[in-house]
Amino acid sequence: MPMDFLERIEDASFPMAVRDEGDIHCATMLVAAHLIEAVLPPAASGTGRRVAVVVLITPQGRAALRLRRDELQT
């Protein structure tokens, strides 16, 4: 899930390379939601490995993480 991915990268050093296809999919969804900024690879073609680069978690992304933590505590 994208929010699980966002939690996993919360304390990462950026820029961060992402190679797992599931994580690339999550990154794509988080970019669309304006929760992260990332350089996304073109759609899969052939057998080449794809890499996304997460540049940062946006202020909206940080707020979403805080909200999620608050919801889990109640």
Side-chain angles (χ1 to χ4, degrees):
M1 293 191 43
M3 287 304 293
D4 294 334
F5 174 73
L6 189 61
E7 282 183 339
R8 279 196 345 246
I9 68 168
E10 181 175 12
D11 296 320
S13 296
F14 299 106
M16 181 183 95
V18 177
R19 293 178 176 80
D20 177 79
E21 282 298 323
D23 288 347
I24 291 172
H25 179 72
C26 288
T28 301
M29 293 174 64
L30 292 169
V31 166
H34 305 286
L35 300 182
I36 66 169
E37 289 183 13
V39 178
L40 300 171
S45 61
T47 59
R49 297 278 295 154
R50 299 183 333 138
V51 177
V53 178
V54 178
V55 178
L56 59 84
I57 299 174
T58 66
Q60 296 93 329
R62 298 277 178 198
L65 286 166
R66 282 190 301 275
L67 180 63
R68 182 175 167 127
R69 255 191 304 279
D70 290 347
E71 289 173 348
L72 292 174
Q73 291 177 1
T74 59

